[in-house]
Amino acid sequence: MTAELVRGQNHPLSEARLEIRISAGTPVVAAATTADENGKVRGADGVAHPGAPVLPGLEVSRQPAADHRLAVDLGAMPEVVHRVSVLLVLPGGGHGPNRFGAVAAPFVAVTGLDGTELAGYTVTGLDAEAAVIALELYRRQDAWKVRAVGQGYAGGLAELLTDQGLPQAHHLAGTVEEAVARALARSVSAPPPRTADAGRSRQPVTPVPGGDQGPGTPAQPAPQPPYPAGGPQQPSYPGASGAPDPAAGPQPTASAGGPIDYSHPRRQTTAPPPPPTAPPVPPGQPAQPVAGDATGWSMEERLYNQVWGMFEDLARTTAAYRSAVDFAESRREKELDQALSDPRNRMGGQGDAARQAAHARHTQLVDQARAALDRDLAQLTAESEVVEPALPPAYAGWDNPVWHGYRVPMEIPMAVRLGDLHLPESPSLRIPMLVRLPLERGLWIDSARSGMPDETFADAGRLRRLAMDAAVAHAARLLAVYPASEFTVHVIDPAGSAAQALAPLVRTGVLAGPPATGAAGVTDVLSRLTQRVDLVQMAVRGGAPDALPPGFDTSEQLLVVNDFPHGFDDRAVTRLRYLADEGPAVGVHLMMVADREDAAAYGPLLDPLWRSLLRLTPVADDHLADPWVGHAWTYEPPLVPPGSQVLEQVLAQVARTRRDGRP
């Protein structure tokens, strides 16, 4: 029976090999400290955190996530360890809430390897705290117990570690923050918080023995639609789609002296309508998937929510499968240890029979887990085959027939597709990587060879050309999904090395001007965009958007930079960092095509720049992580099919619409 603990309550632990499962509803950092019998942590080597996730008998997650599974082997704990404290820390640094009082109460459960819950604790009563000791496992007279702690710290991880007597607590907290920042840079951002009634209907699937439940089960949180309660959040800088027009007269406000209400004037504020209902299914037959099987005010919003739901479902069902396989392997090891602990069983037929039985049970459990995974994958594959053809251009691959009937849109879409994601257990099931618009982070197309799985791209020049081709495809898609004259692209190509890749953008005339070359060209473009950011920031802060200069271009701006840092002096580098940090909030976005090693001379000065950008690759690479369980997903860039003219045809349509003033 599960023990539901309250603060200060303890409970004996009957097993040595455990999992600590954390469900927080928002990405948190999971860490742990090991202390002596006096509760003192000896040093940094007694703390497990994303930068150093493994200690003897203990392993924590390598990045922030909404759900965690920490592995604990009490039998492998060193004799000097008498207490293991489980810590939860909000990432901070602008990556979500900065206090636990602003999020749902985290839940922490201690389970056996088969998933049986031994004790659970909901960490309530938190407010301004940014770090908390959720619970602790402690040794008492050679037996282990768990105690619910719930001790929070408003000063964050540094204050918590100081309270545990750790020398150089602030230095270690800074090390953890650096590791978390690196992990967040590779994570795909989850959609904004969902409304209370949002979700999508899905067919339930079978739980996996020894693992978490698969997609669609009631215990899993529903996918998150893109808008918080009360309607969509519109960008507030001048000229942004949905921002108030000074010539339109007074804008409605929430209350006297309160903030301006930017909610869409035609958007209802009640819960969105439910997804379309599929025809009744005869008993015994599987339900047929339906495109748009999610809540939303429009088909676009429903498809967006459905794709993110598929993303989450695949992440969770794969986590369940991997957990079940881990359990099967642990059980086999345990049974073999028990069988061989008796010297009489080490030789002869009895020992062989025990070993064969342990291996047979392992195979049975793994096969059962794989069968459950295959059922889930079949359901998701069938759904993908229905959803993919129904996607609008902003969400569709370049090989989708929807591009043949392309027309320049009249409104900015909710999101844009930046590629595909898949896992090694299901390489043929590709999930569209949809990122919300306007972009919240710049993009970095990594042209480095480091991390390539083979020697296919030993030619650095070829990989750089592929990186620039990927950048052009991304820029073309952004131009195609924005209304005419609401998205402007600038290019810096100091050495002119990307002329061939840039030809589609140049020939169709969709660029703001010819690609800038040489140091003078770099300085000119950066100066103009930096001045633009300064002007818009002053207008927003001063509440005077009509004070912008006459003829000021209010469209979104994208700067594509090739071959960085060639042609950049120190001042240009500083301006580039400024655009990366301040630009997205005022509609100026950055796309870097670069090899980080080329800028190694700048040392740690550019670390914040690289972390602020979403790293993408021109070839398949498993560097991105999901926000739920932290799987390493293989990213596939959205390249145009060989020989296809679709990209130039779409760009020509954009240029024609700009010139003629009509779609």
Side-chain angles (χ1 to χ4, degrees):
M1 179 180 293
T2 303
E4 296 293 340
L5 305 180
V6 297
R7 185 172 183 177
Q9 185 180 2
N10 59 41
H11 184 75
L13 295 173
S14 56
E15 301 184 30
R17 291 183 175 181
L18 305 167
E19 277 190 351
I20 298 176
R21 301 188 178 188
I22 299 165
S23 179
T26 189
V28 298
V29 179
T33 60
T34 56
D36 59 19
E37 57 187 355
N38 297 318
K40 185 175 181 179
V41 182
R42 293 295 184 180
D45 56 355
V47 182
H49 58 82
V54 180
L55 295 179
L58 178 64
E59 183 174 1
V60 303
S61 304
R62 288 167 169 76
Q63 71 170 51
D67 300 296
H68 293 272
R69 296 206 325 263
L70 280 58
V72 179
D73 186 351
L74 298 176
M77 288 288 172
E79 289 294 328
V80 296
V81 174
H82 286 255
R83 182 181 301 174
V84 179
S85 299
V86 178
L87 320 179
L88 306 181
V89 185
L90 291 172
H95 299 287
N98 58 8
R99 62 186 187 92
F100 276 105
V103 300
F107 177 74
V108 185
V110 181
T111 75
L113 292 181
D114 60 353
T116 302
E117 190 172 309
L118 307 176
Y121 173 47
T122 302
V123 189
T124 59
L126 300 177
D127 185 14
E129 296 86 348
V132 61
I133 302 175
L135 51 78
E136 64 181 14
L137 313 179
Y138 63 98
R139 195 198 308 254
R140 183 67 55 83
Q141 297 178 350
D142 295 329
W144 285 88
K145 296 183 178 182
V146 57
R147 176 187 291 122
V149 180
Q151 176 64 51
Y153 296 84
L157 182 61
E159 182 182 354
L160 186 157
L161 295 176
T162 300
D163 191 47
Q164 292 208 333
L166 185 71
Q168 298 181 329
H170 285 78
H171 175 74
L172 179 57
T175 301
V176 175
E177 289 174 1
E178 284 290 319
V180 169
R182 289 193 299 269
L184 286 170
R186 62 185 287 269
S187 179
V188 181
S189 300
R194 63 189 181 94
T195 58
D197 297 326
R200 67 182 185 140
S201 60
R202 299 188 60 81
Q203 297 298 316
V205 294
T206 307
V208 179
D212 298 326
Q213 291 179 327
T217 56
Q220 301 297 346
Q224 301 168 334
Y227 296 144
Q233 299 299 307
Q234 301 291 340
S236 57
Y237 53 86
S241 178
D245 183 357
Q251 302 294 320
T253 57
S255 60
I260 294 175
D261 178 12
Y262 289 134
S263 61
H264 198 294
R266 298 187 301 276
R267 179 84 69 180
Q268 302 180 48
T269 57
T270 56
T277 303
V281 179
Q285 295 186 13
Q288 298 300 314
V290 177
D293 184 17
T295 56
W297 294 106
S298 65
M299 190 61 173
E300 179 194 10
E301 187 174 350
R302 288 174 175 171
L303 287 168
Y304 172 84
N305 291 338
Q306 187 172 14
V307 168
W308 265 91
M310 293 165 60
F311 186 15
E312 181 176 6
D313 284 353
L314 183 54
R316 292 189 183 280
T317 194
T318 304
Y321 169 73
R322 293 179 180 178
S323 176
V325 172
D326 290 344
F327 166 69
E329 293 176 351
S330 298
R331 178 172 175 172
R332 179 179 59 182
E333 293 176 5
K334 182 178 181 181
E335 291 177 349
L336 290 174
D337 290 343
Q338 290 175 345
L340 299 178
S341 61
D342 188 346
R344 294 172 298 180
N345 294 337
R346 295 176 185 172
M347 302 293 292
Q350 191 172 358
D352 292 340
R355 283 188 287 270
Q356 291 176 2
H359 288 298
R361 278 189 287 270
H362 170 267
T363 301
Q364 180 184 8
L365 287 174
V366 172
D367 289 346
Q368 187 176 355
R370 184 70 211 193
L373 175 65
D374 288 342
R375 286 194 296 270
D376 293 352
L377 293 180
Q379 176 184 331
L380 288 168
T381 299
E383 187 172 13
S384 176
E385 291 173 351
V386 171
V387 169
E388 191 72 42
L391 296 177
Y395 302 173
W398 285 112
D399 57 350
N400 193 309
V402 72
W403 289 106
H404 297 314
Y406 168 77
R407 292 293 183 270
V408 177
M410 302 297 292
E411 295 182 355
I412 299 175
M414 182 175 297
V416 66
R417 185 173 186 160
L418 294 183
D420 293 338
L421 299 169
H422 64 87
L423 291 171
E425 287 83 356
S426 53
S428 62
L429 178 55
R430 308 296 175 91
I431 304 296
M433 179 181 168
L434 302 184
V435 176
R436 287 293 304 274
L437 292 177
L439 296 173
E440 296 180 355
R441 300 169 64 183
L443 305 178
W444 166 28
I445 316 300
D446 190 357
S447 59
R449 285 179 295 170
S450 59
M452 291 295 108
D454 51 38
E455 297 300 321
T456 304
F457 297 100
D459 180 4
R462 182 187 173 196
L463 195 58
R464 291 176 187 272
R465 289 192 296 272
L466 288 175
M468 199 61 207
D469 288 340
V472 169
H474 288 304
R477 179 179 292 269
L478 288 166
L479 283 163
V481 303
Y482 269 81
S485 303
E486 289 196 24
F487 197 83
T488 303
V489 177
H490 310 263
V491 175
I492 290 179
D493 184 22
S497 59
Q500 182 177 354
L502 292 170
L505 298 175
V506 175
R507 279 198 300 264
T508 53
V510 293
L511 295 178
T517 58
V522 171
T523 301
D524 177 62
V525 173
L526 292 177
S527 298
R528 286 189 283 110
L529 290 178
T530 302
Q531 183 183 32
R532 174 194 169 84
V533 171
D534 291 338
L535 287 173
V536 176
Q537 282 185 337
M538 287 189 292
V540 171
R541 292 169 182 168
D546 53 345
L548 291 170
F552 186 85
D553 180 10
T554 58
S555 66
E556 299 268 326
Q557 308 284 311
L558 174 69
L559 173 60
V560 181
V561 178
N562 180 45
D563 211 15
F564 177 81
H566 182 80
F568 283 74
D569 56 20
D570 290 345
R571 187 173 184 182
V573 170
T574 301
R575 285 174 169 169
L576 193 69
R577 287 189 55 189
Y578 177 73
L579 291 177
D581 293 339
E582 303 294 335
V586 293
V588 178
H589 311 284
L590 186 62
M591 184 187 298
M592 299 273 291
V593 182
D595 179 350
R596 187 170 181 173
E597 290 300 317
D598 292 343
Y602 289 94
L605 176 67
L606 291 182
D607 286 351
L609 171 65
W610 303 118
R611 286 199 300 265
S612 70
L613 304 174
L614 175 61
R615 177 176 173 255
L616 304 176
T617 53
V619 294
D621 188 56
D622 60 348
H623 67 282
L624 291 175
D626 65 80
W628 301 288
V629 292
H631 292 316
W633 292 72
T634 297
Y635 167 79
E636 296 273 359
L639 299 180
V640 179
S644 173
Q645 299 297 315
V646 62
L647 187 143
E648 290 211 35
Q649 291 171 1
V650 167
L651 291 177
Q653 180 70 26
V654 171
R656 187 162 49 250
T657 301
R658 289 182 174 181
R659 182 177 63 251
D660 300 341
R662 63 177 186 274

